[in-house]
């Protein structure tokens, strides 16, 4: 934690130097001693201290300053740091003003000049004040602060990116936090430019992109090398498993991730059926452990970074990235995962990120405290989200299109939902419209069996309705099924015919695509089992096929 600040203010250079010297001698080990030669300069200094989120323990201010008296300075300073102790340096003639200031400015003490010897006339007084301050001091949060509006899609994007990359941050809603308003003023940030992201060093970004945040917090976005043995696109459970096994077995490995490690599984609030974790773990915990393990073996992780194209020049595979750069590799794994399928109803695009969310349970749950939350979906992701929201929301209503949860949800989740009093399940129900101007205000639902239509007040709608692959960029290169899932191994065979363009004597390996040396694992693969454990298994198994492939290529 940064040292608490003691700020001394005096327009007399000799006095100011002497005070600062004595303060450093006694308190320099535990406090940061700052000085200012005027009240105006001191106020500017305080604004910068506030932006850096450093605490101020004590003001030691000369009363007799020409442009702004000590009392006048303290009247403004305590609006910035109301908990700081206040001591006034006075001459004999200023005694009456100092006594009046005890009532008007609530100063804690006044000291007569000169204060020599400080061991008798300065330190005992300041020791008492600092002891009192320490007794009630609560260290401030020292990470990133995000100031924004709950209903702003930009704010949601920033929060979601930080949360999914497991970067601690403090959320400050401009509508409810006076400190947030104060900080935007100090940063000279217009409210139309929110969210404002303030970093521990005081630097600010207004409406930043994920890439700008990543560069500031030190995430790697560009590859260190031009060539790797193995490149992996996607860092869900399958991609992370492949990275760990590949790197641990000596393959120079790079992983490219467009959003955050963990993939869709990383957004799960609770996974309770993953082998080896009897009390369950969150998707973010699983991602954090796997990323740590991968980095320990030397895996290079680029995020946020996106692959935009592939080309083949035997025996190399080249990846074009969204920043215009290109890297090459011997073997490539497509672990692209899937994205939440979009709900296509009137009004939804305009309100996405402003009350309507895809996934994002862990990002937005605290904002829904004591509110009613609606969840669309009936599979495991929806059930996990419902259980998580039930800890914060007043009521959670699941809107399920089918006749029951048992069609697509694990029994353990069904049992938990049934036992949770503030979760209600509405079956045969679909959302047919969302309403609101700047944020979600209501949803219209329809009972698909009776035809009954209702409009309900709502501020939060979370959507978990299945997934779709983002594989359009592979058109003309990698073969896919009619839904966009990647075909591998035996699924490539059509009526016993040889795969077009396949020039090897052997058939494709189980997880290999129509291009030798390019593999697909996890949810993006046609016919895969959409479970975390199966994704991890495919990622691990794929590395063995890569070794077999490389043995014939190198």
């Amino acid at each position: 934690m940064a040292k608490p600040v003691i700020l001394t203010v005096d327009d007399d250079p000799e006095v100011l130097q002497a005070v600062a010297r004595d303060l450093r001698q006694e308190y320099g080990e535990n406090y940061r001693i700052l000085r200012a030669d005027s009240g105006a300069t001191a106020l500017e200094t305080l604004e910068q201290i506030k932006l850096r989120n450093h605490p101020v323990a004590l003001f030691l201010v000369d009363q007799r300053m020409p442009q702004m008296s000590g009392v006048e300075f303290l009247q403004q300073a305590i609006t910035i740091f109301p908990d700081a102790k206040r001591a006034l340096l006075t001459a004999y003639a200023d005694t009456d003003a100092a006594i009046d200031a005890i009532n008007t400015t609530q100063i804690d003490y006044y000291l007569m000049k000169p204060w020599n010897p400080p061991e008798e006339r300065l330190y005992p007084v300041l020791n008492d004040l600092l002891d009192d301050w320490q007794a009630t001091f609560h260290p401030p949060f020292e990470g990133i602060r995000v100031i924004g509006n709950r209903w702003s899609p930009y704010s949601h994007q920033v929060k979601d990116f930080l949360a999914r990359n497991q970067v601690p941050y403090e959320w400050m809603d401009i509508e409810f936090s006076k400190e947030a308003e104060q900080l935007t003023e100090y940063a000279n940030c217009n409210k139309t430019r929110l969210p404002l992201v303030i970093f521990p060093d005081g630097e600010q970004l207004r409406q930043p992109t994920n890439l700008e945040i990543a560069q500031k917090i030190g995430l790697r976005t560009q590859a260190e090398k031009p060539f790797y043995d193995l490149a992996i696109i996607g860092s869900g459970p399958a991609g992370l498993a492949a990275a760990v096994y590949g790197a641990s077995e000596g393959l120079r490995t790079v992983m490219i991730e467009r959003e955050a490690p963990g993939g869709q599984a990383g957004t799960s609030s609770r996974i309770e059926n993953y082998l080896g974790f009897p009390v369950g773990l969150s998707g973010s915990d699983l991602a954090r452990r796997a990323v740590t393990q991968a980095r320990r073996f030397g895996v290079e992780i680029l995020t946020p970074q996106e692959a935009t194209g592939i080309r083949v020049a035997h025996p190399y595979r080249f990846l074009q990235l969204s920043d215009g750069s290109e890297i090459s590799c011997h073997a490539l794994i497509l672990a692209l995962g899937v994205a939440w399928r979009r709900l296509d109803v009137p009004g939804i695009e305009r309100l996405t990120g402003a009350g309507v969310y895809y996934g994002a349970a862990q990002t937005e749950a605290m904002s829904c405290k004591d509110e009613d939350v609606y969840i669309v979906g009936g599979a495991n992701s929806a059930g996990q989200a419902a259980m998580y929201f039930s800890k914060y929301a007043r009521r959670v209503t699941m809107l399920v299109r089918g006749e029951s949860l048992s069609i697509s949800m694990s029994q353990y989740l069904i049992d938990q939902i049934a036992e949770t009093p503030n979760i209600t399940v509405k079956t045969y129900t679909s959302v047919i419209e969302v309403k609101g101007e700047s944020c979600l205000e209501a949803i219209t639902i329809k009972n698909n069996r009776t035809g009954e239509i209702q409009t309900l007040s709502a501020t939060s709608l979370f959507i978990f309705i299945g997934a779709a692959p983002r594989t359009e960029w592979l058109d003309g290169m990698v073969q896919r099924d009619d839904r966009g899932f990647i075909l591998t191994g035996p699924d490539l065979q059509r009526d016993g015919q040889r795969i077009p363009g396949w020039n090897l004597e052997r058939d494709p390996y189980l997880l290999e695509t129509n291009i030798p040396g390019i593999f697909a694992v996890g949810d993006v693969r046609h016919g895969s089992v959409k479970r975390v454990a199966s994704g991890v298994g495919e990622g691990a198994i794929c590395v063995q096929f890569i070794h077999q492939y490389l043995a014939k290529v190198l």
Side-chain angles (χ1 to χ4, degrees), residues 43-111:
L43 290 173
E44 292 176 2
T45 299
L46 290 181
E47 291 180 0
Q48 293 303 311
I49 293 172
K50 187 75 171 179
L51 286 171
R52 287 173 171 80
N53 212 23
H54 295 169
V56 173
L58 173 70
F59 298 120
L60 182 57
V61 186
D62 196 341
Q63 165 61 10
R64 189 170 291 188
M65 296 186 292
Q67 282 80 29
M68 182 186 297
S69 71
V71 170
E72 290 170 338
F73 163 76
L74 288 172
Q75 287 172 335
Q76 297 185 55
I78 61 177
T79 65
I80 305 174
F81 289 97
D83 298 326
K85 295 299 180 180
R86 307 140 205 167
L88 204 62
L89 285 173
T90 66
Y92 180 78
D94 300 322
T95 302
D96 290 341
I99 293 172
D100 289 341
I102 292 174
N103 297 318
T104 59
T105 314
Q106 296 181 326
I107 67 169
D108 297 289
Y109 210 91
Y110 69 92
L111 295 157

Side-chain angles (χ1 to χ4, degrees), residues 317-340:
R317 282 86 187 96
F318 291 85
L319 277 177
Q320 290 92 40
L321 304 181
S322 56
D323 64 359
S325 62
E326 187 176 71
I327 59 176
S328 61
C329 58
H330 276 313
L332 173 64
I333 294 178
L334 302 174
L336 303 171
V338 288
W340 295 114

Side-chain angles (χ1 to χ4, degrees), residues 220 222-226 228 254 300 302 327:
R220 185 180 299 281
Q222 294 184 323
E224 282 188 348
K225 309 177 187 72
Y228 296 85
V254 64
E300 193 176 322
L302 310 184
I327 59 176

Side-chain angles (χ1 to χ4, degrees), residues 316-475:
Y316 305 110
R317 282 86 187 96
F318 291 85
L319 277 177
Q320 290 92 40
L321 304 181
S322 56
D323 64 359
S325 62
E326 187 176 71
I327 59 176
S328 61
C329 58
H330 276 313
L332 173 64
I333 294 178
L334 302 174
L336 303 171
V338 288
W340 295 114
R341 191 159 58 84
R342 312 299 277 187
L343 184 64
D344 185 16
V345 300
I348 200 161
E349 288 301 321
R350 178 167 48 85
L351 296 174
T352 298
V356 176
Y357 308 98
Y358 292 88
Q362 294 189 78
T363 304
E364 297 294 336
M366 290 296 294
S367 298
C368 300
K369 187 173 177 61
D370 299 326
E371 296 181 359
D372 292 348
V373 168
Y374 292 88
I375 293 175
V376 181
N380 277 8
S381 295
Q384 291 161 353
M387 291 302 302
Y388 189 70
F389 277 116
S390 69
K391 303 173 185 177
Y392 303 95
R394 177 176 53 203
R395 182 172 58 200
V396 178
T397 302
M398 298 187 68
L399 307 174
V400 182
R401 186 173 55 181
E403 63 180 351
S404 72
L405 295 175
S406 61
I407 298 173
S408 53
M409 188 178 292
S410 298
Q411 188 61 45
Y412 80 91
L413 271 173
I414 296 174
D415 295 339
Q416 289 179 356
I417 288 169
E419 295 170 0
T420 305
N422 63 334
I423 298 180
T424 300
V425 180
K426 285 182 176 288
T427 55
Y428 297 108
T429 302
S430 299
V431 175
I432 60 174
E433 186 178 5
V434 299
K435 301 179 180 181
E437 293 301 322
S438 59
C439 63
L440 179 66
E441 298 172 5
I443 61 173
T444 300
I445 62 174
K446 179 181 179 179
N447 186 301
N448 301 320
R449 187 168 54 174
T450 66
E452 179 187 4
I453 294 176
Q454 290 178 281
T455 297
L456 309 172
S457 296
T459 56
S460 297
L461 178 68
F462 293 85
I463 301 170
F464 302 82
I465 56 170
R470 291 178 176 173
T471 56
E472 299 83 3
W473 64 282
L474 296 173
D475 280 349

Side-chain angles (χ1 to χ4, degrees), residues 162-329:
L162 291 171
R164 293 189 61 193
N165 280 281
Q166 303 187 35
V167 179
Y169 69 93
E170 180 182 17
W171 165 247
M172 306 175 76
D173 195 319
I174 193 69
E175 299 296 326
F176 301 103
S177 171
K178 291 184 178 178
E179 184 181 6
E181 286 192 12
Q182 194 178 54
L183 288 170
T184 57
E185 290 177 8
Y186 297 156
N188 195 26
C189 178
N190 190 296
K191 290 185 179 181
T192 61
R193 298 291 311 281
L194 295 178
L196 171 68
V197 183
I198 304 177
F199 297 90
D201 62 2
E203 185 176 336
Q204 311 112 42
L205 293 176
R206 294 156 179 78
Q207 288 186 356
T209 64
N210 289 348
L211 181 59
E212 288 173 329
I213 296 174
Q215 290 172 338
K216 176 60 183 174
I217 63 179
L219 296 180
R220 185 180 299 281
T221 61
Q222 294 184 323
E224 282 188 348
K225 309 177 187 72
F227 173 79
Y228 296 85
D229 298 317
L230 171 62
I232 302 168
I233 306 176
S235 66
L240 284 166
V244 168
Y245 278 85
S248 67
E249 293 171 13
L251 299 179
R252 290 169 295 177
T253 303
V254 64
M255 175 179 288
I256 297 101
E257 169 55 50
R258 60 179 295 170
E259 293 177 351
Q264 197 177 85
T267 67
S268 296
S269 49
R270 202 73 186 165
I271 302 169
E272 298 195 47
N273 58 354
Y274 188 61
L275 185 67
F277 293 87
V279 297
L281 78 168
S282 69
S284 60
D285 282 343
L286 179 62
R288 176 182 53 80
R289 292 166 183 261
V291 167
T292 300
Q293 197 170 16
R295 285 182 171 146
R296 175 186 162 218
F297 288 120
V299 176
E300 193 176 322
I301 301 176
L302 310 184
T303 181
Q305 184 59 271
E306 186 173 3
T308 57
I310 298 173
R311 66 182 179 90
V312 175
H314 189 77
Y316 305 110
R317 282 86 187 96
F318 291 85
L319 277 177
Q320 290 92 40
L321 304 181
S322 56
D323 64 359
S325 62
E326 187 176 71
I327 59 176
S328 61
C329 58

